[in-house]
Amino acid sequence: MSSMKNLLNINLFQNSDLIDNLDSMNSFINKNSEIIKDTPPVKIELMFKEGLVQTGNCNTFNTGHKEFMTGAILVNSGGNLVTTSTDNSMIVYEKKLGKDNKITFNPLKKEIDRKIIGSALLNFSSTNFVVGYDSGLIKIWRTEDFEVDKIFTGHVNQIRKIIKQDDNTIISCSDDATIKSWSLDSYEADCSYTLTGHEDKINDILLIDFYGNNTLISVSDDKSMRFWNLEMKECENAIKTQFIQTSLGRLRNGKFMVGGEDGVVTVFKIEGFEPILDIHAHTEPVELLYESPFTGDIITGSQDNLVKIFKVD
């Protein structure tokens, strides 16, 4: 059974962007402390299957999409939101803060392409964001005017994931069972190089630092996990798995995690690629793995419609 499409791909802030936004929030709070003090909090209640009740502050709005959302990222240091959908549209919103301190996202631009659906998004830099499409195209968009800067061709099927290697390079994986590297400085539409070896669609890729070399991990519907040396541009190791692996996540202290179609999250040591812990997190495929930069907790999301937080200890 193949992993279902991830219906909401959320790209989190890079650390520098996160710090800038926290500084901006602190500055706003200091300047408007009296207003904020007298503003009652917005209360929501989320009822989970286990009966747990959570409360907190939340802002919701209708996106304007007519079908499932396939991606959502914040760009321009959080000043704009970009969303994509199976209705073949991409919408850009401008974030506004009202007098009542309520955040709203107002539509700024809508791009419609009836031939392609955005399926992978990446907030690449302060000047560009990247969208991968079901058709295999990769488009580099400018954050200044939200126009297309470059179009990369080479993949022939849905883009599953796009990651940043350095300030000039992105790496993508696809349902066409290939991994490709792209230089944003290049005026050519072709990729820099292609990695082949998987026999089925590639669900996720992750860069790790292994003895000073850039090592890329990939998981696929062929029930294998591969480790690629990007300097040599070849596969150094391949591990067969019992279940299809659907997602990857980075951990500190020389570890990484792999989410499976069976709902299990496995923690590996980078050295020797040795599994050290299984977390029976979900009952459906794991689509999101993330380590909190604040607490070190592991956050998981799954097709069972649950998000779970596991204490690092």
Side-chain angles (χ1 to χ4, degrees), residues 155 165-166 169-172 178-183 190-196 207 214 216 228-234:
H155 284 299
Q165 182 178 8
D166 55 43
T169 309
I170 59 173
I171 301 175
S172 59
T178 67
I179 298 168
K180 293 181 181 289
S181 175
W182 313 84
S183 173
D190 296 330
C191 67
S192 303
Y193 61 84
T194 300
L195 303 177
T196 60
L207 269 175
N214 279 328
L216 184 77
W228 309 85
N229 184 321
L230 296 184
E231 290 185 0
M232 302 297 294
K233 300 177 179 56
E234 63 182 20

Side-chain angles (χ1 to χ4, degrees), residues 205-217:
I205 49 178
L206 176 70
L207 269 175
I208 58 172
D209 187 19
F210 184 52
Y211 289 124
N213 296 323
N214 279 328
T215 299
L216 184 77
I217 307 174

